[in-house]
Amino acid sequence: MLFTKYSNTFRWIMITISFIIVSLILWNTYVFFQNFKEEERIKMKNWSFASEELSKTNNLDVDIGNLPIEILQSNKTTPMIIVDKTGSYDTKNIAENIAKDSIKIQKLILKFQNEYNPIKITYDNKLLQTIYYGNSPLLNKLKYYPLALLLIIFLFTGVIFFFYKSNKNASQNKLWSGMAKETAHQIGTPLSSLIGWTELLKTENVNPDYIVEIEKDIDRLQTITERFSKIGSLPTLKTTDIVSETKQTYDYLKLRSSDLIEFDIDMPKSEIPVKLNKQLYSWTIENLVKNGIDAMKGRGKISIKVSQLENNVKISVTDTGKGIPKKKFNAIFEPGYTTKKRGWGLGLSLTKRIIEDFHNGKIKVLDSTLGEGTTFQISLKRVN
């Protein structure tokens, strides 16, 4: 209980700590890169000094020892272009195919100038050589290290998010299934008793019309029980004509709704085969229609339209109610969301689960205008 109560706080603490750690790693990487770059500059200065000392031997009979030569020979990674006062150039640590191409060398000189200021070698106030150099292969790899680190962190965060999301959805699905099965079980017990009492009433001197009405209510309760039983497990889908199924649900709802509600239906005359579970689909249309009636406060127009596309079928349910703000288009399908004083906020959530999880379809708010009405649209794949 204590962990549940403070789990959100713990989560934010962990996120904050992770952010600080990532920031420190990135900062230290940046500092390391800059220090390494400065070391590269110092190494090149030493190389230029050695080159300058070595060039003195061409003008003076001076013994400078082996140190300059060792420094010149030790640099095997830094790419450089040495241009003398006549414009001739020599290269070091650069691929041979590039070194022989003067155009590529000129482009490389411009690139090196953007990375480092060139080092000039002078003797007796005369310019002997200019050294253009760039980042070593190791430095180039380090340059992309922060990006690689960010990518890894992003992927790791994505994995955690999807794991958390899937775990949460799995828990919700388990809760849905458990509640649905328990509801079906609880309704089933008194329903069996009602069926038995109805058979006994048929043997008594009871008005048959009463028996017919009771049986209608029993049939309705059996339908509700089947719905909850199927929502609690993976339902069976059969190839069904969605036009006739929508018409049956429409007729049922129209017959049992107030005369203040005007119903309108628009659908093709030909059959449209769809993989469908009849009970759950009927429940979906019923939820959307009842939701629309509530939005109209019991007075207005409900329109149902079935339209066929090449591979899909669209079912639209439109009301003339108060409308939905655009920012709430997704929130209304969340469990528990409701604008009613009474209600659990499960109708649209169940509808979304039935269409998207069980029928592999889509449901969305197609259009809504405040004060004018809302259109919900269901999209299902037709069977070819």
Side-chain angles (χ1 to χ4, degrees):
M1 288 296 291
L2 184 64
F3 178 77
T4 304
K5 183 178 179 181
Y6 295 104
S7 60
N8 195 46
T9 304
F10 292 153
R11 190 180 300 116
W12 278 108
I13 290 174
M14 292 302 297
I15 291 172
T16 304
I17 292 174
S18 300
F19 178 79
I20 293 172
I21 292 173
V22 170
S23 300
L24 289 173
I25 291 173
L26 291 175
W27 171 252
N28 284 329
T29 303
Y30 172 78
V31 172
F32 174 74
F33 180 78
Q34 293 300 321
N35 290 338
F36 196 89
K37 198 171 182 180
E38 184 61 29
E39 289 291 333
E40 195 86 348
R41 178 76 177 175
I42 294 171
K43 184 170 68 173
M44 282 306 303
K45 282 185 177 180
N46 291 335
W47 196 92
S48 68
F49 293 151
S51 181
E52 182 179 348
E53 289 296 319
L54 195 62
S55 66
K56 292 178 181 179
T57 61
N58 296 325
N59 301 286
L60 297 172
D61 186 13
V62 179
D63 183 13
I64 59 172
N66 294 326
L67 182 59
I69 297 174
E70 289 181 4
I71 293 175
L72 291 174
Q73 292 177 345
S74 65
N75 194 332
K76 298 179 180 180
T77 58
T78 306
M80 63 185 80
I81 302 170
I82 304 101
V83 181
D84 63 20
K85 57 185 178 181
T86 64
S88 300
Y89 68 87
D90 190 16
T91 62
K92 186 173 176 60
N93 303 323
I94 293 177
E96 187 176 350
N97 62 319
I98 297 176
K100 291 180 178 180
D101 191 330
S102 60
I103 296 176
K104 291 182 179 179
I105 287 295
Q106 291 301 320
K107 291 181 179 179
L108 206 55
I109 287 174
L110 292 175
K111 179 186 175 184
F112 289 169
Q113 281 180 313
N114 291 327
E115 292 179 357
Y116 297 96
N117 292 326
I119 297 174
K120 298 181 184 297
I121 300 177
T122 61
Y123 177 72
D124 199 17
N125 293 326
K126 293 180 181 180
L127 179 64
L128 298 179
Q129 292 176 328
T130 304
I131 302 174
Y132 301 93
Y133 68 101
N135 293 328
S136 65
L138 178 59
L139 201 58
N140 283 327
K141 291 178 181 178
L142 284 174
K143 183 168 60 176
Y144 298 106
Y145 176 75
L147 294 177
L149 183 64
L150 284 175
L151 180 61
I152 292 171
I153 292 169
F154 175 77
L155 293 175
F156 182 70
T157 304
V159 169
I160 292 176
F161 172 78
F162 285 117
F163 173 78
Y164 173 77
K165 191 74 175 177
S166 60
N167 188 47
K168 183 179 179 182
N169 289 339
S171 299
Q172 287 181 346
N173 291 340
K174 189 175 181 180
L175 179 62
W176 277 117
S177 299
M179 289 179 63
K181 289 180 179 179
E182 180 62 21
T183 302
H185 175 72
Q186 293 292 338
I187 295 176
T189 303
L191 183 59
S192 299
S193 179
L194 285 173
I195 294 172
W197 282 109
T198 304
E199 294 300 321
L200 286 175
L201 287 175
K202 288 180 180 179
T203 63
E204 302 293 331
N205 188 21
V206 179
N207 189 336
D209 293 337
Y210 298 163
I211 303 295
V212 171
E213 292 302 317
I214 292 173
E215 287 180 335
K216 286 182 180 178
D217 288 335
I218 289 174
D219 288 340
R220 180 62 178 166
L221 285 172
Q222 285 178 327
T223 300
I224 293 171
T225 303
E226 285 184 23
R227 287 175 177 176
F228 277 104
S229 177
K230 293 179 185 301
I231 201 75
S233 57
L234 190 64
T236 302
L237 305 182
K238 296 182 179 179
T239 301
T240 310
D241 176 25
I242 198 168
V243 175
S244 63
E245 286 303 317
T246 305
K247 185 68 167 59
Q248 288 180 21
T249 305
Y250 167 85
D251 292 338
Y252 174 83
L253 293 170
K254 182 179 180 181
L255 185 64
R256 286 160 178 77
S257 297
S258 167
D259 294 336
L260 299 176
I261 303 296
E262 179 186 352
F263 280 85
D264 179 63
I265 191 167
D266 179 11
M267 56 179 60
K269 295 181 180 180
S270 58
E271 294 184 357
I272 304 177
V274 172
K275 287 288 185 181
L276 209 65
N277 182 279
K278 295 181 180 180
Q279 289 85 358
L280 295 184
Y281 175 72
S282 174
W283 195 4
T284 297
I285 300 299
E286 185 177 319
N287 278 336
L288 293 177
V289 170
K290 287 183 176 179
N291 193 72
I293 292 173
D294 289 339
M296 298 186 300
K297 297 184 178 178
R299 181 189 295 268
K301 182 179 180 180
I302 294 289
S303 301
I304 299 177
K305 180 180 180 180
V306 179
S307 56
Q308 179 179 351
L309 300 178
E310 184 176 355
N311 296 315
N312 295 316
V313 56
K314 308 286 186 181
I315 305 98
S316 301
V317 179
T318 304
D319 63 65
T320 57
K322 58 186 179 181
I324 303 169
K326 193 170 184 178
K327 62 182 180 180
K328 299 291 186 181
F329 279 12
N330 292 324
I332 60 173
F333 292 106
E334 294 294 328
Y337 179 87
T338 180
T339 58
K340 305 172 189 176
K341 292 182 178 179
R342 295 182 180 181
W344 291 59
L346 298 178
L348 289 177
S349 176
L350 280 171
T351 300
K352 184 179 178 69
R353 178 175 169 82
I354 290 169
I355 295 300
E356 297 192 355
D357 292 353
F358 294 155
H359 289 85
N360 294 319
K362 293 290 182 183
I363 182 170
K364 64 180 180 180
V365 180
L366 182 64
D367 185 43
S368 186
T369 304
L370 294 177
E372 295 183 12
T374 301
T375 298
F376 286 89
Q377 185 184 77
I378 297 170
S379 177
L380 295 172
K381 291 182 180 180
R382 65 187 296 263
V383 178
N384 296 319

